[in-house]
Amino acid sequence: MKRVTIGDVAAHAGVSTATVSRVLNGGLVAESTAARVWEAAETLGYSPNALTRSIFAGRASTIGVVIRDLSSPFYLDLIRGIDEVATAADSPVLLANTNRGADREAAQVRAMDQQRVRGLVITAGETTDDHARRMAKNGTPCVVVARTAAGLHSVSLDDVAAGRLMAGHLAGCGRSRVGVISGRDRSTQVKRAEGLRSRLAEHGLPQPEEVQVGDEAEVDEAVAALLGRADAIVCTTGRLTVAVHAALTARGLRMPDDIGFLTMDDFPWASALGITVVAQPSYEMGRRAAEIIVEEPGSPVEVVFEPTLIARGSCGHASA
Amino acid sequence: MKRVTIGDVAAHAGVSTATVSRVLNGGLVAESTAARVWEAAETLGYSPNALTRSIFAGRASTIGVVIRDLSSPFYLDLIRGIDEVATAADSPVLLANTNRGADREAAQVRAMDQQRVRGLVITAGETTDDHARRMAKNGTPCVVVARTAAGLHSVSLDDVAAGRLMAGHLAGCGRSRVGVISGRDRSTQVKRAEGLRSRLAEHGLPQPEEVQVGDEAEVDEAVAALLGRADAIVCTTGRLTVAVHAALTARGLRMPDDIGFLTMDDFPWASALGITVVAQPSYEMGRRAAEIIVEEPGSPVEVVFEPTLIARGSCGHASA
DNA sequence: TAGTTGCATGTAACTAGTTACACCTGCTGT
DNA sequence: ACAGCAGGTGTAACTAGTTACATGCAACTA
C-alpha cells in the first residue's frame, strides 16, 4: 500500500536519491550505476511522482480546459484537437465542464489555477476573464476560444463572415423572409446576426426576424413564432440544431420544399440528413489553442478562423 | 511573475505559515488572526497550490479517464457522467484519448499513475489491466468500463442481453436473414454476437452472417459483402453507425422497406432519422464509475447495466 | 612526485505546503 | 497562591522529489 519512492530505489541500488534522479532525467552517471538503478526501479515497480516534479518546476504539465457544454459537437472536436497537441507535448488534459453556469465557470477557472496548469483553454463567459488575466500575469498562458478578450490569447471564428455566408446562401437560394433562432449568450451570436443582416441588406432583402432562445425546451415555441412569416429558418448556434430540426419535422415540414433550413457547425449526421451548414474548423481550432499554450508567445495572439459553407440542399440550391 | 506563496501571506499578516494553513483548512485560530490572514490572502491574490497539497496527501484530487475514442457518442456521455460526479466531489477530470492504439493506451495509464490520480476510469484493451491492478494494489481505485476484468472494478453492459434484444426485435419484425457488422475489438463484440445468435436460434432463424470491420474505411466493403444475402443489417458497435447508414443510403436503399437496420447506442439524431437502436445508459455508467472511485469500495465491484431497445422503425415494427 | 583535471557521486538546501509538538499566555479551581 | 488546563501560535520535521555545490578518486600532465 505504501508507495515506492525515489528513496526506496536509491537504497535498493545502493546510491543516493540524487543519483537516481540523475539516471531518470539524464544527468552524468556511470553506465554500471545507471544499470543498477534501472533494475532497482524495475523490480520495485517505481513510478515517479509527477506532482512532486511539478511543484519543483513551478507548474504542472497539465493543460486545463474549461468547457461550457460537453454535449455540443463543436466542443467535442475542440477537445480532440487540444488533446492531440497536448499528448504530443506530454501534457495530460484537465477537463472541467460547466454546463453554462456562470458561478461554476468561475469556480472551475479558479480550480485550474490552483492545479497550476501549464496553460488554460477557456470557453466561458466574460466573467472569467479577470481571473484569466491574473493567471496570464502569473505566467499561465490562457487562450479564450470562440471570442476575443483584451489582453488574452484567443482562437475564434470570423462570426460576421459566418453570418454573411449564411445570408449569401439564402439569397442565392431565393429565400427572402428569414427567421433566425439564436442562443442567448455572448458576442458570437450578436456578430453572426450582424453579418447576416448586413449581407441580406446588400441583397436588398428584408431584415430577418430574430428569436433568442435559452435552451432546447424553448425552441419549439420559437419555431412556432417564426413559421408562416419565414421561408427559411436559420439557426446561429450548433447546439440547437437538433431541437430546431425536430421542431420543423414535427410539424410535417419538409426541407427545402416547405421551409429552408440553415444552421451552424458541421456534424457527422448532417450529410445523411442533407442539412446545409456553415462549419467552423473546430478540431483545428483546438489544435491551435493548445499550440499557443505550448509555444507560450510573449504577447497576446489572436487567431481568427474562416467559416465554410457546406451546401447540402436543406435550403435549396444556390443559383451560381 | 513570481507566485504568491503561503509564506508571503504569512509575512503580510504577521503570522507563521502554520497559522495560515490552519486558517485555510479550518484549524484552531483566533477570529481576529483569521480575519487578518484572509485579508492578506485577498490583497496578495493568493491561490493555494493544489499540487503541494496533493503530495502531502499522498495523491492528487483528480480523477483520471482514459478514453479509447473521443469521437464516439458513447464515450462522450460517459465523460459527462464522470465529470458530473467528479465536480460534485471537487475532483477535476484528467482526460487522455488513445485513438485505440495499444501502445498509447499503456502510456496513458502509466501517465495517470504518475499523476497520482485519485482513481482511474479505463476504457482500454486488456493490455492495460496488469498496470491497473498494480495501481489498485497501491490504493488507486481503477474502474474498467464496457467489460469486466478480474480483480478490478467494472461498469459494463449486459452485452449478451443486448444481442438478444436485437435478435428478438429482428424476429418480431419478420426479418430472417441477418447480416452483422461488428468491430474488431474485444469481448463486447463477441458477447453481443453471441446473444444475437442464441436468440435467433431460439426463434428458429438461420445464423447471421458476420463481417468484422476495423474502421470506417472498411465499412462500405463489408456492407457490399452482406447485401443481397440479408434482409437486415445489424451493427454491433455504435461508432460505425454513421458509416453503415451512409453505405446503405449511398446504394439508394430505404429503411425499413429495402433493408432493415438496427444498431447499438442511442444518439441525438437517431430519432430524426428513425433509426432503431439498442441503447446503453452511458451517462449513468459514467456516473456509476466515478461513484465507485469516490466511494473506494474494498473489494472489486461489478456493475452491469441492462440495455434498452428503442424502436423507431428502421427495422420495421415488431408484431406485438 | 606533486598538481591538475574531470568524471562520478554524495550532501544538503530547496520547492510549497501540512502537521506533530512545544511553548506561552491567561483563566479557573482548590 | 499555585497547579492545571485550554486556547492560540510558532518551530521544525515531514511529503517526494530536484539540483547547486562539495568531495573523492583516478588518470594524466609537468
Side-chain angles (χ1 to χ4, degrees):
Chain A
M1 206 74 177
K2 194 79 190 64
R3 273 279 180 177
V4 178
T5 71
I6 198 173
D8 301 329
V9 176
H12 195 272
V15 296
S16 71
T17 62
T19 301
V20 176
S21 175
R22 274 188 288 256
V23 171
L24 264 41
N25 303 316
L28 194 58
V29 196
E31 229 168 278
S32 60
T33 318
R36 274 212 323 289
V37 170
W38 282 121
E39 207 220 287
E42 186 77 20
T43 53
L44 296 178
Y46 175 61
S47 157
N49 188 329
L51 301 175
T52 312
R53 289 183 156 177
S54 298
I55 128 169
F56 207 87
R59 52 183 56 274
S61 56
T62 51
I63 291 181
V65 182
V66 175
I67 290 289
R68 304 205 97 183
D69 186 0
L70 253 188
S71 37
S72 156
F74 170 74
Y75 290 118
L76 180 65
D77 277 340
L78 188 82
I79 295 174
R80 282 205 306 120
I82 296 169
D83 176 89
E84 198 63 36
V85 173
T87 302
D90 258 318
S91 288
V93 171
L94 245 200
L95 186 74
N97 187 18
T98 66
N99 284 325
R100 296 171 179 272
D103 43 347
R104 205 159 148 180
E105 287 181 351
Q108 299 286 28
V109 170
R110 222 175 304 125
M112 292 292 177
D113 189 14
Q114 298 190 355
Q115 293 290 336
R116 296 295 188 266
V117 291
R118 168 181 180 177
L120 185 56
V121 178
I122 306 177
T123 68
E126 284 83 356
T127 17
T128 62
D129 286 357
D130 278 346
H131 200 110
R133 273 188 282 265
R134 229 174 304 149
M135 288 178 69
K137 214 178 300 174
N138 280 325
T140 309
C142 293
V143 183
V144 171
V145 170
R147 62 186 171 86
T148 59
L152 293 170
H153 305 301
S154 67
V155 171
S156 59
L157 187 77
D158 185 340
D159 287 306
V160 174
R164 293 182 60 82
L165 267 182
M166 290 181 135
H169 184 70
L170 289 163
C173 292
R175 308 284 169 170
S176 57
R177 291 166 303 132
V178 176
V180 176
I181 293 184
S182 63
R184 228 191 283 286
D185 26 281
R186 54 160 144 185
S187 56
T188 322
Q189 301 294 307
V190 175
K191 284 193 194 156
R192 289 177 191 169
E194 189 188 310
L196 195 62
R197 278 196 295 269
S198 73
R199 182 127 181 221
L200 283 177
E202 288 169 24
H203 281 280
L205 292 170
Q207 287 299 297
E209 203 154 336
E210 191 177 335
V211 182
Q212 287 198 353
V213 155
D215 62 15
E216 279 91 340
E218 303 173 26
V219 165
D220 196 75
E221 199 185 342
V223 168
L226 292 171
L227 284 179
R229 285 182 289 178
D231 60 5
I233 296 290
V234 167
C235 177
T236 58
T237 168
R239 78 173 216 271
L240 296 178
T241 304
V242 179
V244 174
H245 185 268
L248 293 173
T249 51
R251 284 180 172 71
L253 298 171
R254 310 277 297 263
M255 298 158 255
D257 299 335
D258 302 328
I259 189 105
F261 181 47
L262 181 52
T263 188
M264 279 298 302
D265 296 350
D266 202 21
F267 57 97
W269 287 103
S271 166
L273 289 152
I275 296 178
T276 300
V277 301
V278 167
Q280 355 185 12
S282 40
Y283 175 79
E284 270 308 321
M285 290 168 80
R287 288 195 60 103
R288 196 72 196 85
E291 280 166 9
I292 291 176
I293 287 171
V294 173
E295 291 161 10
E296 271 190 84
S299 50
V301 173
E302 275 188 26
V303 182
V304 178
F305 281 84
E306 284 307 311
T308 341
L309 182 104
I310 305 177
R312 294 195 179 101
S314 66
C315 214
H317 290 282
S319 47
Chain B
M1 205 74 177
K2 194 77 191 66
R3 274 276 180 180
V4 178
T5 70
I6 198 174
D8 301 328
V9 176
H12 194 272
V15 295
S16 72
T17 62
T19 300
V20 176
S21 175
R22 275 188 287 256
V23 171
L24 264 42
N25 304 317
L28 194 60
V29 197
E31 228 168 278
S32 60
T33 319
R36 274 211 325 289
V37 170
W38 282 121
E39 206 221 287
E42 186 76 21
T43 54
L44 295 178
Y46 175 61
S47 157
N49 188 330
L51 301 175
T52 313
R53 289 182 156 178
S54 298
I55 126 168
F56 206 86
R59 51 183 57 274
S61 56
T62 51
I63 290 181
V65 183
V66 175
I67 289 290
R68 306 204 95 184
D69 186 359
L70 253 188
S71 35
S72 156
F74 170 75
Y75 290 118
L76 180 65
D77 277 340
L78 188 81
I79 295 174
R80 282 205 306 120
I82 295 170
D83 176 89
E84 198 62 36
V85 174
T87 302
D90 258 318
S91 289
V93 171
L94 246 199
L95 185 75
N97 187 16
T98 67
N99 285 324
R100 297 173 178 271
D103 42 346
R104 204 158 148 181
E105 287 181 350
Q108 299 286 29
V109 170
R110 222 175 305 126
M112 292 293 178
D113 190 13
Q114 298 190 357
Q115 293 289 336
R116 296 295 188 266
V117 291
R118 168 180 180 177
L120 185 57
V121 179
I122 306 177
T123 67
E126 283 84 356
T127 16
T128 61
D129 286 357
D130 278 345
H131 199 110
R133 273 187 283 265
R134 229 174 304 149
M135 288 178 69
K137 213 179 301 172
N138 280 324
T140 309
C142 293
V143 184
V144 171
V145 170
R147 61 184 172 87
T148 59
L152 293 170
H153 305 301
S154 68
V155 171
S156 59
L157 188 77
D158 185 339
D159 287 307
V160 173
R164 294 181 60 83
L165 266 182
M166 290 181 136
H169 184 70
L170 289 163
C173 293
R175 308 285 169 170
S176 57
R177 291 165 302 133
V178 177
V180 176
I181 293 184
S182 63
R184 228 192 282 288
D185 25 282
R186 54 159 145 184
S187 54
T188 322
Q189 301 294 308
V190 175
K191 284 194 195 155
R192 290 176 191 170
E194 189 187 310
L196 197 61
R197 278 196 296 269
S198 73
R199 181 127 184 221
L200 283 177
E202 288 169 23
H203 282 280
L205 292 169
Q207 287 299 297
E209 203 155 336
E210 192 176 334
V211 182
Q212 287 197 354
V213 155
D215 62 16
E216 278 91 339
E218 303 172 28
V219 164
D220 196 74
E221 200 186 341
V223 168
L226 291 172
L227 285 179
R229 285 182 289 177
D231 60 6
I233 297 289
V234 167
C235 178
T236 58
T237 168
R239 78 173 216 270
L240 296 178
T241 304
V242 179
V244 174
H245 184 268
L248 292 173
T249 50
R251 285 181 171 70
L253 298 172
R254 311 277 296 263
M255 297 158 254
D257 300 334
D258 302 327
I259 189 103
F261 182 47
L262 181 53
T263 188
M264 280 297 303
D265 296 349
D266 201 21
F267 57 96
W269 288 102
S271 164
L273 289 152
I275 296 178
T276 300
V277 301
V278 168
Q280 356 185 10
S282 39
Y283 175 80
E284 270 308 321
M285 290 168 80
R287 288 195 61 103
R288 196 72 198 85
E291 280 166 11
I292 292 175
I293 287 172
V294 172
E295 291 161 11
E296 270 189 84
S299 49
V301 173
E302 275 189 27
V303 183
V304 178
F305 281 84
E306 284 307 311
T308 341
L309 182 103
I310 305 177
R312 294 194 180 102
S314 66
C315 214
H317 289 282
S319 46

